[in-house]
Amino acid sequence: MFAGPAFHPSSEAQPPIAPPCVIDESDFGELYSDNLRLLVAIAVRKFQVPEVDAEALAHEVFLSYLKRKNEIRDLNPWLIGAICHASRYFWRQRGHRTDQLDQEKAVLRPDPASAEIFDVLPSQLAVREILELLPQRYQEILRLRYFEGYSIREIADYLGVTAKYAQKLVGKCLRLAEETFNARARNKR
Amino acid sequence: MKHSDDLRHIADCAECRERFTANVLPFDSARRRERANEFAATAAQLQRERHGAADVVTNELRDTPIDDWPRLAESPALRNNAALEQLSEEVRKRLERNPAEALAIANVATSIAESISGYPPMVIAQLRATALRDRANALRYLGRLDEAFDSIETAEARLSDFAGAAHDRAIVWLIKAMILAQMDLFAEAEEMITAASVVFADVNDPPRFLQAGLVYGNLLGRQKRYAEAQNVFRDLLKVAISSRDVETQARLHNNLGHCAVYVDDYSGANIHFSESIARFTDLGLRAEVPRTHLGAAQVLIGKGQIESGLSRLEDARRSFLDLNLFREAGLCALRIIEVHIDRGETARASDLARVVIGEFEAAGIDTRAVQAIENLESSINADGATGETVRTVHEFVQRLAAEEAQAS
């Protein structure tokens, strides 16, 4: 007989089922600051994305939201879904597998990054805690020097001071960090 | 309440959210401020442009002869995000009705997007990917599949440097899957559609999740994997019901009806077709009703269920007549005539042909179509008509309709 159309296709671009969440222009800054920490935390804690990259990923997610905002029904699940996929894509682009490692293989071949985790992690956590207690400017100088690998000359350029003064500042920040650490240790005892 | 680090829980629980984010250090506060400012400035810019661009595209398209549309790419009024969004909407509206025009508009949008500046790189990538994706879709509708594939690959490449563009990328994958399916590259299409569905589910985009599911089910149907397709459509039906998407429910019932026919469950098929028609009727989508009847009839007759098929054809014809769609009603009648001829009921075939001639003349349909059916009637009366003759006339009338649509 004759061949008929098989199935009913969906219409090309369907409107959102529920109205999108409406956000006032003045609220955009608030939206960013309210959610940035969460997105960065997800990328870092759930996907082990380095913190510097995690912030960049979160920023991309926010920007991509602006184009899609009229069709987003529920902001929080959208942001969370988007940062999870962004984190997976981040690792895929770097040739990492994002699947869970087979448990037996994991035992036989431990991840070198976590081999001495129990020795290293407490110090890392302590450093972070101490850093948080320092004034903003000191935090920034130590972060540039020890987390981002800036040279003294580069820090000097960044702060608009001489290299000699930058060297002094880094030393001063370190001393303050040490004092804070010791004071905290004494208090704990 | 049970608290956890489960992300779905964190999305809604302020307490767990606070705990989860507690140790995230503000790493580079200057850079963070810079980014926040960029976000707010871009948001304000896009809002401003959207408010200031009411109907700019409709007006430009209306006031410019179609042959001059490529020049619109130079129009300053169209070189912004809001105009590109409107161009995308114009493409969407024309895809079914006039894909050639949709392509012309998509080409304008692509020219603009590929040379636009003044936005963050991420937004520019989204603009380019959207324009290229629309272009690929229009080419797909025109059956220019190799070009469509090139365009969708370019769209994907535009986003490749941006991990944060997951939602945009998934929409590109959805169109890519449709193109691959049309190229009969089923395995590749399946992989693409699965990846896209995961993203749509994760970002809570039920309309596109359902759309992707429909594409996936159709893909299975085209490979004659009807039982699997049935499972997909049944699962989707639950999603469509929970999200109160009645139109998709109607389409899914129709597809489930087709699957049921192919697995020889004719009573199940009739229930699904009737459910589909009831929902289209409730929604006021009256033109979908005869189309659903027609599709059902064709598949039933194809499987040798002549009586049920014929009954659906008659329902379809009646619905088309109710809508004053005389050409479509006539095409339905030609299907019925074919059945009559196959069963040797020439008198009924001839009577129906005479009725159609009257309807076509009264509706002022192309005289060549009327002439073709008159010739068919003579042939039936002379006992010379076969099913093949009717099919030839059907194709001819359909081609005239397509030419007419093209010309208008």
Side-chain angles (χ1 to χ4, degrees):
Chain A
M1 193 54 87
F2 44 77
F7 295 100
H8 222 304
S10 62
S11 54
E12 267 311 312
Q14 300 174 5
I17 292 165
C21 43
V22 180
I23 292 170
D24 189 67
E25 191 176 324
S26 57
D27 294 337
F28 281 119
E30 211 172 294
L31 181 148
Y32 195 92
S33 55
D34 282 355
N35 292 287
L36 182 70
R37 273 160 63 99
L38 175 65
L39 299 199
V40 173
I42 291 170
V44 172
R45 293 186 55 183
K46 293 272 181 190
F47 295 93
Q48 286 77 50
V49 174
E51 287 185 43
V52 176
D53 297 312
E55 292 223 10
L57 284 189
H59 184 59
E60 277 188 15
V61 166
F62 281 114
L63 285 174
S64 81
Y65 155 80
L66 291 177
K67 277 286 291 158
R68 306 237 71 86
K69 76 182 185 64
N70 288 341
E71 57 192 51
I72 294 169
R73 304 160 64 223
D74 200 348
L75 181 64
N76 280 340
W78 188 88
L79 287 173
I80 289 175
I83 193 68
C84 289
H85 281 283
S87 303
R88 291 190 192 105
Y89 190 86
F90 171 85
W91 284 123
R92 267 202 304 278
Q93 291 296 84
R94 283 153 185 79
H96 286 232
R97 288 181 62 84
T98 52
D99 305 338
Q100 287 291 315
L101 186 63
D102 178 75
Q103 203 55 44
E104 283 178 26
K105 285 184 188 158
V107 172
L108 292 173
R109 294 181 57 191
D111 177 3
S114 60
E116 293 170 358
I117 192 78
F118 293 110
D119 299 326
V120 179
L121 193 61
S123 328
Q124 284 183 348
L125 291 174
V127 168
R128 281 193 187 189
E129 278 175 26
I130 298 307
L131 212 53
E132 272 188 321
L133 298 172
L134 299 180
Q136 190 66 37
R137 183 172 160 83
Y138 287 27
Q139 279 184 34
E140 196 170 10
I141 291 168
L142 288 178
R143 179 186 53 73
L144 290 173
R145 182 75 180 108
Y146 295 103
F147 286 83
E148 298 205 0
Y150 276 42
S151 66
I152 292 294
R153 164 62 60 198
E154 284 168 331
I155 292 175
D157 289 344
Y158 181 78
L159 298 173
V161 298
T162 63
K164 201 172 173 187
Y165 186 64
Q167 177 72 67
K168 277 188 174 174
L169 273 177
V170 170
K172 189 177 169 188
C173 292
L174 276 176
R175 271 196 305 283
L176 186 64
E178 192 182 359
E179 281 165 22
T180 311
F181 178 78
N182 289 337
R184 206 176 144 95
R186 272 197 304 276
N187 287 342
K188 276 188 180 169
R189 276 202 297 271
Chain B
M1 186 207 285
K2 190 179 174 221
H3 295 283
S4 74
D5 274 0
D6 177 81
L7 294 180
R8 269 169 297 192
H9 174 73
I10 286 172
D12 296 322
C13 175
E15 195 184 321
C16 289
R17 196 180 163 113
E18 194 52 45
R19 180 176 44 76
F20 186 76
T21 58
N23 290 326
V24 177
L25 212 62
F27 236 46
D28 184 342
S29 40
R31 182 90 183 94
R32 184 175 285 189
R33 266 196 306 278
E34 208 176 278
R35 284 177 171 149
N37 290 341
E38 182 188 47
F39 174 76
T42 309
Q45 181 186 358
L46 297 186
Q47 295 270 74
R48 217 172 29 245
E49 287 172 357
R50 283 178 184 132
H51 289 150
D55 298 331
V56 63
V57 165
T58 318
N59 296 340
E60 291 268 7
L61 290 177
R62 191 194 51 218
D63 299 342
T64 311
I66 194 161
D67 290 340
D68 292 339
W69 279 2
R71 280 196 304 106
L72 290 176
E74 305 305 320
S75 164
L78 300 188
R79 299 189 64 78
N80 62 69
N81 167 67
L84 283 170
E85 283 174 349
Q86 289 178 24
L87 283 167
S88 181
E89 180 58 19
E90 294 295 330
V91 173
R92 191 193 65 79
K93 283 196 274 191
R94 285 169 171 82
L95 275 175
E96 300 265 359
R97 191 163 48 83
N98 193 340
E101 227 172 67
L103 178 62
I105 297 170
N107 282 337
V108 173
T110 305
S111 295
I112 295 170
E114 290 285 64
S115 58
I116 207 163
S117 57
Y119 300 99
M122 169 80 199
V123 176
I124 290 179
Q126 287 177 294
L127 294 173
R128 290 179 181 164
T130 305
L132 285 157
R133 183 196 80 201
D134 286 343
R135 184 170 177 273
N137 214 9
L139 286 162
R140 177 175 76 85
Y141 267 81
L142 290 165
R144 291 160 60 179
L145 296 179
D146 287 336
E147 291 167 83
F149 186 75
D150 287 346
S151 191
I152 202 71
E153 284 270 283
T154 314
E156 196 178 358
R158 293 286 179 268
L159 295 171
S160 66
D161 286 341
F162 300 93
H167 201 170
D168 290 77
R169 199 167 7 256
I171 299 168
V172 166
W173 288 342
L174 175 62
I175 305 296
K176 193 173 179 180
M178 293 180 188
I179 294 167
L180 288 165
Q182 267 180 257
M183 295 169 106
D184 291 340
L185 296 168
F186 296 126
E188 290 82 354
E190 211 170 311
E191 196 180 318
M192 234 356 88
I193 205 72
T194 308
S197 296
V198 171
V199 178
F200 295 143
D202 287 348
V203 299
N204 193 24
D205 183 351
R208 287 209 179 81
F209 180 78
L210 287 167
Q211 196 183 359
L214 277 161
V215 173
Y216 183 45
N218 291 351
L219 197 64
L220 294 170
R222 284 193 57 202
Q223 296 172 80
K224 300 191 178 3
R225 291 156 64 184
Y226 300 116
E228 287 171 74
Q230 260 179 325
N231 288 337
V232 170
F233 292 136
R234 278 192 197 117
D235 287 345
L236 289 177
L237 191 57
K238 287 177 205 155
V239 179
I241 290 168
S242 73
S243 47
R244 291 192 281 280
D245 181 352
V246 182
E247 187 176 339
T248 303
Q249 288 173 39
R251 294 182 196 286
L252 286 165
H253 274 297
N254 173 73
N255 292 3
L256 280 164
H258 282 272
C259 287
V261 171
Y262 285 117
V263 298
D264 298 332
D265 172 15
Y266 301 111
S267 59
N270 271 319
I271 292 169
H272 282 301
F273 288 134
S274 300
E275 292 278 356
S276 174
I277 286 160
R279 279 166 179 73
F280 279 132
T281 309
D282 287 348
L283 287 167
L285 296 172
R286 293 175 64 209
E288 295 291 347
V289 172
R291 286 194 190 114
T292 305
H293 277 305
L294 185 60
Q298 293 183 357
V299 73
L300 284 163
I301 292 171
K303 288 287 282 182
Q305 300 295 304
I306 308 296
E307 281 308 323
S308 333
L310 195 58
S311 151
R312 292 270 173 201
L313 275 178
E314 279 158 357
D315 287 341
R317 176 168 155 72
R318 247 193 316 277
S319 304
F320 278 130
L321 286 173
D322 286 346
L323 293 165
N324 293 331
L325 295 169
F326 294 103
R327 193 195 316 269
E328 285 78 1
L331 287 166
C332 256
L334 285 169
R335 297 297 194 196
I336 297 171
I337 290 169
E338 187 184 342
V339 174
H340 289 326
I341 287 176
D342 282 348
R343 294 159 120 190
E345 299 166 353
T346 46
R348 293 181 72 180
S350 172
D351 288 350
L352 187 52
R354 175 72 8 226
V355 173
V356 174
I357 291 165
E359 287 168 0
F360 274 23
E361 281 174 341
I365 287 173
D366 195 325
T367 50
R368 289 172 296 172
V370 177
Q371 186 61 55
I373 297 173
E374 279 175 349
N375 292 345
L376 174 67
E377 189 201 5
S378 309
S379 173
I380 294 168
N381 292 337
D383 264 353
T386 62
E388 187 57 43
T389 319
V390 188
R391 280 195 291 278
T392 308
V393 174
H394 186 280
E395 269 170 37
F396 179 71
V397 176
Q398 209 162 29
R399 201 170 54 242
L400 289 177
E403 280 171 16
E404 199 177 296
Q406 200 87 34
S408 66

